[in-house]
Amino acid sequence: MRGRSDGGKKKHVIVLVCIAAVVLVFVYLFFGSSNHGASAIEYGRKLGLGGDDDDASKKDEASSTSFYVDDDDANGFTPRSFPVCDDRHSELIPCLDRNLIYQMRLKLDLSLMEHYERHCPPPERRFNCLIPPPPGYKVPIKWPKSRDEVWKVNIPHTHLAHEKSDQNWMVVKGDKINFPGGGTHFHYGADKYIASMANMLKFPNNILNNGGRLRTFLDVGCGVASFGGYLLASDIMTMSLAPNDVHQNQIQFALERGIPAYLGVLGTKRLPYPSRSFELAHCSRCRIDWLQRDGILLLELDRVLRPGGYFAYSSPEAYAQDEEDLRIWREMSALVERMCWTIAAKRNQTVIWQKPMTNDCYQEREPGTQPPLCNSDSDPDAVYGVNMEACISQYSERLMGAVHSWCEAFSTYPRTYDLLHAWDIISDVKKRGCSAEDLLLEMDRILRPSGFILIRDKQSVVDLVKKYLKALHWEAVETKAASDSDHDSDVILVVQKKLWLTSESLRDLE
């Protein structure tokens, strides 16, 4: 009897031990995995880079594993912290995420570049977490010095330096990446290439702004955007456009340099700009088939060009004498002639076409001429998610700017901008039934550490944002009532994003 009793006790102990082990494993999986990201946050003040030093800040840091902890009379809870995304998501672009396309098994036409267009995740697949900087991240070098060099640790991708070494795109030097100003078609520097274009058009002093008459350019297939970077010295604002393709970090380098740039592609959707947005469009060996689908891509450029605007085209078709290049040149020349474009200048490897100033030429074309004029009910300024049309947009009277729905993520890399200006944007998003919290996380994603946000909105919205300051690691700089008489109820809130690093980044620095 004693032997049986001992055996029963042993079995009982073993069962208890097994149950305890299962409970511990469950606790680890549930709490440990969810807390890992949040507990990894370390403020930049440990590196002498800013942050609070008071006791309250230390308590916040210690309790950063909780998601909502403070009671609030009006809304029930105040967010205390957000989890931090895994380090592998430090360059996440939610609506241009190739992994999402694979996971959702989207059926896309690769020949039409649909895989480079925007495909946003549904709400249940969104990353509701803070995007961490890469290990060792440094505050970006300031403009204008940043045009020529950036910290390598901020964009640790050097394959383009090797791939484009013969074209002077970029050069790795120690802890920095230098940009000599070269490009696929202008190895010896964008400045000389720009002056040559101005000389072709007989502009004063070989300056491409034509005495201040040209201000907005679009550079298609821009590489690392040296063309747009060098135009800033001439008071020309250039939007540099390229897809997230095999040269996937080209736009990221452009943005780190402080050059306006956008991840996009001439595929099936209209560019996110109203008609008449640009005075010159530029393509330097951008590897685009302009003749495809009845010239629909060239017609999209025509839509965004202003009356009298230019298209500068540097490509072998403009000068080569082999049979295929001559065929492309003949067909392209015939197409732009039917679009009422004329050659403003042609020299060596570059041709510059000019768009007509009025609708007169369109009205004088023979009946049935292709491409046709767009239907009268076709709005040339309707762009967001709208398919391109193979037709000529007649002139409207509306100005310029990118169109975007802030219910979705913006097409840019994390840590792009030094300053964000949000005037009634948060109120608008809430009216549309979208999440203000998602918008704040997106604003945090695209804002650089130490960057500022200027929020102008209703008092209730500003109060809402203030509840998220600690969770987002933002700091209120100033709050004041708006002074205009038309918006007496508006409040202005200026916040600054703190620099914080994950514990993994701190270990790398040490």
Side-chain angles (χ1 to χ4, degrees), residues 200-222:
M200 289 172 63
L201 292 167
K202 298 181 172 57
F203 288 167
N205 302 315
N206 291 339
I207 298 176
L208 201 51
N209 69 6
N210 192 20
R213 294 177 180 86
L214 303 186
R215 279 282 291 124
T216 56
F217 287 15
L218 175 67
D219 187 17
V220 180
C222 63

Side-chain angles (χ1 to χ4, degrees), residues 478-498:
E478 185 175 359
T479 307
K480 69 175 185 178
S483 57
D484 356 295
S485 57
D486 294 338
H487 301 275
D488 286 338
S489 61
D490 280 5
V491 177
I492 298 173
L493 171 66
V494 181
V495 300
Q496 184 176 25
K497 178 179 177 178
K498 299 177 184 178

Side-chain angles (χ1 to χ4, degrees), residues 192 201 317 412:
K192 298 180 180 64
L201 292 167
E317 295 85 44
T412 193

Side-chain angles (χ1 to χ4, degrees), residues 321-361:
Q321 296 299 309
D322 63 272
E323 184 176 340
E324 179 62 12
D325 285 326
L326 287 172
R327 179 193 67 80
I328 294 173
W329 173 251
R330 286 193 298 268
E331 293 185 18
M332 196 164 175
S333 298
L335 172 61
V336 298
E337 184 178 352
R338 296 195 301 272
M339 294 168 55
C340 295
W341 289 10
T342 56
I343 292 180
K346 186 175 186 294
R347 181 189 298 167
N348 299 331
Q349 305 175 7
T350 302
V351 59
I352 303 176
W353 283 290
Q354 187 172 20
K355 181 178 176 176
M357 287 292 296
T358 68
N359 287 323
D360 294 347
C361 175

Side-chain angles (χ1 to χ4, degrees), residues 275-486:
S275 64
R276 304 171 64 181
S277 287
F278 302 101
E279 289 149 335
L280 184 146
H282 173 252
C283 158
S284 171
R285 292 206 181 187
C286 54
R287 294 164 50 181
I288 293 175
D289 177 7
W290 297 107
L291 297 174
Q292 64 172 287
R293 293 177 281 156
D294 301 319
I296 193 170
L297 304 185
L298 204 57
L299 289 162
E300 175 62 5
L301 279 193
D302 181 84
R303 183 186 68 81
V304 299
L305 276 177
R306 292 183 178 180
Y310 299 94
F311 176 44
Y313 183 56
S314 296
S315 185
E317 295 85 44
Y319 66 90
Q321 296 299 309
D322 63 272
E323 184 176 340
E324 179 62 12
D325 285 326
L326 287 172
R327 179 193 67 80
I328 294 173
W329 173 251
R330 286 193 298 268
E331 293 185 18
M332 196 164 175
S333 298
L335 172 61
V336 298
E337 184 178 352
R338 296 195 301 272
M339 294 168 55
C340 295
W341 289 10
T342 56
I343 292 180
K346 186 175 186 294
R347 181 189 298 167
N348 299 331
Q349 305 175 7
T350 302
V351 59
I352 303 176
W353 283 290
Q354 187 172 20
K355 181 178 176 176
M357 287 292 296
T358 68
N359 287 323
D360 294 347
C361 175
Y362 304 143
Q363 307 298 340
E364 295 168 359
R365 300 188 313 162
E366 290 293 326
T369 299
Q370 299 295 319
L373 295 178
C374 296
N375 296 330
S376 57
D377 60 352
S378 176
D379 184 0
D381 300 314
V383 297
Y384 197 71
V386 176
N387 288 330
M388 292 181 186
E389 296 184 63
C391 58
I392 299 173
S393 300
Q394 299 189 67
Y395 297 151
S396 69
E397 298 180 357
R398 294 170 64 179
L399 289 162
M400 59 173 293
V403 177
H404 179 69
S405 168
W406 286 105
C407 290
E408 299 176 353
F410 196 60
S411 292
T412 193
Y413 283 89
R415 303 169 298 279
T416 289
Y417 299 110
D418 296 303
L419 184 142
L420 302 178
H421 182 211
W423 190 338
D424 287 338
I425 294 296
I426 301 174
S427 287
D428 182 64
V429 162
K430 293 180 68 178
K431 286 178 184 176
R432 295 185 183 198
C434 301
S435 168
E437 182 180 282
D438 285 351
L439 175 58
L440 293 175
L441 284 167
E442 175 62 4
M443 292 165 71
D444 183 81
R445 184 184 74 87
I446 65 178
L447 183 67
R448 288 177 171 178
S450 301
F452 292 87
I453 304 177
L454 177 61
I455 297 171
R456 176 169 178 160
D457 220 311
K458 299 177 179 62
Q459 182 68 58
S460 60
V461 172
V462 170
D463 290 341
L464 174 67
V465 173
K466 285 183 175 180
K467 295 180 185 300
Y468 285 88
L469 294 181
K470 288 184 180 179
L472 292 164
H473 310 295
W474 296 356
E475 184 176 41
V477 176
E478 185 175 359
T479 307
K480 69 175 185 178
S483 57
D484 356 295
S485 57
D486 294 338

Side-chain angles (χ1 to χ4, degrees), residues 226-248:
S226 289
F227 179 74
Y230 277 80
L231 283 170
L232 284 167
S234 301
D235 292 329
I236 294 173
M237 183 66 70
T238 304
M239 179 54 68
S240 300
L241 179 80
N244 191 17
D245 59 8
V246 291
H247 302 144
Q248 56 186 280

